[in-house]
Every structure is written in structure tokens, then in C-alpha cells.
Amino acid sequence: MTSAPERHMIRLDRKPQLFSMRVAALIFQNGHVLVQRGTKDSYWALPGGRAEIGESSQETIIREIGEELGRDCSVERLLWSAENFFAYDDFAAHELGFYYLVSLRQPLPFHESDIVHRVLDGVEVEFRWLPAQSSALLKSDLRPRFIAERIEALPQRHEHLIVREGRPDAVEIPKEII
């Protein structure tokens, strides 16, 4: 019997620097977007996770949705790719992110204010729906912040962004990729 190949997440930890490749999903229901956080975190993020070596970003989001939500999904389109630079714990983090518009084949339960799903993924992760409005997502500290700022006007074509969060000299440079 052949054993499954060892899985390797794309993450380089060279303290104080950190590089990772993350893929996330924008999933909408009833005018809300699904978000997740570790139960010890104060901020929210889109559902998703780190890519594995040898896996495309689209394969990553399908795998992550299956693992974390127990659902099959349809990937509609890539909205953004982003080079995200930010502080994380003691790290100067550099993240290559891919953000897909995704629909679930079987919806998650919906509630406007309660946690609708929990999963143990190394740490306990909770999921809830937040209003898909810039003001609500900024107030809830959705990261990266550019998603909250763009949630009400999703691009029709893929956009590539360079995002530097948490620095006074931060500049965001949008570049449309054909």
C-alpha cells in the first residue's frame, strides 16, 4: 500500500520575517459575508488557509472549504491577488494572497449575530456572518482591510494589489492584470 505524500504548507518562518501563501473565499448569503477567526483573536478574516506545495490556489480554496466548513463549493472567479505586508505578533509578515468569489453547494446556517460554525484546525476557529458593508466590516476589524473597503463594489476582472497595512507611510498600489 502506498502512503499519501507528505503535505507541506507554504510558510517560511525566518524570524523576524514570515512569508506565507494564503487563499481565501468571499461567500455571501442574505447580504452578509462569511468570516472566521481563531477564538483567541480579536480580528476577523475570510475563510481559507495556506496553500500547499504543488497545489494551485483554486485547489487550495476547494480543499480549505471542505476541511473547515464540510461543504463542496463552486469557485466563481478570482477577484484579487495581493501582496500583503503587515505586522503579525513579532513578525514582519509578507503574504501572497488570492481571494476568490465562491458559492457553497449546501449553505451554512444563517444568523445575523451568532457564531454559525466551529472547527478545530490546530486552534478553535469560529465562523459568523457579517453585513457585507464597508462600515460593518471595518468596525469588526476584517483583515486585510482592503476587502472591507472594496466589498460593496467587487471587481468584474481580477485586480492585483500591493497592500502595506499598519505603517503611516503605507501606500496601496492597485494594478489590473489582464
Side-chain angles (χ1 to χ4, degrees), residues 5-134:
E6 194 173 338
R7 295 169 58 181
H8 298 283
M9 298 291 173
I10 299 175
R11 175 186 165 109
L12 298 170
D13 180 345
R14 301 289 186 264
K15 234 176 193 177
Q17 296 174 316
L18 173 68
F19 174 82
S20 65
M21 180 176 163
R22 185 170 193 277
V23 185
L26 280 86
I27 301 169
F28 293 94
Q29 187 172 317
N30 297 335
H32 290 65
V33 64
L34 187 66
V35 295
Q36 71 174 44
R37 72 174 175 194
T39 55
K40 295 182 181 181
D41 292 332
S42 61
Y43 64 91
W44 294 93
L46 295 174
R50 281 193 216 102
E52 296 180 1
I53 294 173
E55 180 179 66
S56 73
S57 60
Q58 196 164 359
E59 291 167 333
T60 298
I61 199 58
I62 292 168
R63 175 184 53 77
E64 286 288 342
I65 296 301
E67 289 175 358
E68 293 182 356
L69 300 178
R71 301 288 195 275
D72 289 329
C73 66
S74 295
V75 176
E76 295 181 26
R77 71 181 193 273
L78 177 63
L79 298 170
W80 302 288
S81 55
E83 298 172 55
N84 297 318
F85 298 89
F86 57 96
Y88 179 73
D89 290 338
D90 295 331
F91 291 100
H94 177 180
E95 177 182 83
L96 180 58
F98 294 89
Y99 303 89
Y100 284 95
L101 182 60
V102 169
S103 58
L104 300 178
R105 294 206 174 114
Q106 177 189 8
L108 274 178
F110 179 82
H111 193 280
E112 287 189 5
S113 59
D114 288 346
I115 300 302
V116 296
H117 183 70
R118 291 181 192 272
V119 66
L120 190 58
D121 187 19
V123 298
E124 187 176 17
V125 179
E126 59 189 13
F127 296 79
R128 68 166 295 191
W129 297 98
L130 288 175
Q133 301 165 339
S134 295

